[in-house]
Amino acid sequence: MDSNRFTMIYCRWVTDMQGKIALSLKEKSNKDCIFWDSNCTVYRARPLQCRTFPFWESIVASAQNWEVTASGCPGINSGALHTAKAIEQNIKLRDCEPIINK
């Protein structure tokens, strides 16, 4: 599937916390990712949005944001610990991702 068709079917435009318009995967009515079905159905080809979760600037901005997100995600606060440097690199990856303004 080419990227234009994928975008039309599986993505939507959102405004991020900095006021930039960015492409985001659509969600189900319960806010789960459209590719989630008891596990990630596209894990090997998941987009940067997914590969950098939960190390998004909006989530790591405060302990409260982190805990709110963790309350709905069983993978947060379990598994391997990540260094501050690794988290910063994830945030930078998202900052470098092309954001297309509509």
Side-chain angles (χ1 to χ4, degrees):
M1 176 181 298
D2 70 37
S3 60
N4 287 332
R5 183 161 167 73
F6 181 90
T7 299
M8 286 177 22
I9 296 171
Y10 299 113
C11 298
R12 66 187 179 95
W13 294 101
V14 297
T15 304
D16 69 14
M17 295 182 74
Q18 289 79 34
K20 297 177 188 170
I21 298 173
L23 203 55
S24 178
L25 290 172
K26 291 179 180 176
E27 299 94 12
K28 296 177 184 177
S29 60
N30 68 354
K31 302 295 183 196
D32 281 351
C33 173
I34 58 173
F35 296 116
W36 182 258
D37 184 20
S38 74
N39 62 30
C40 179
T41 61
V42 295
Y43 187 82
R44 288 180 38 181
R46 70 196 186 283
L48 183 63
Q49 174 182 354
C50 302
R51 291 192 319 268
T52 59
F53 182 83
F55 304 114
W56 300 351
E57 194 170 14
S58 59
I59 296 172
V60 299
S62 71
Q64 180 181 7
N65 290 1
W66 181 266
E67 291 307 319
V68 167
T69 305
S71 70
C73 179
I76 296 178
N77 294 331
S78 66
L81 293 177
H82 299 273
T83 65
K85 182 177 180 178
I87 293 168
E88 288 171 9
Q89 287 173 334
N90 273 294
I91 291 170
K92 285 181 183 175
L93 276 175
R94 287 189 48 91
D95 287 343
C96 294
E97 180 180 271
I99 297 175
I100 304 166
N101 288 318
K102 283 178 76 176

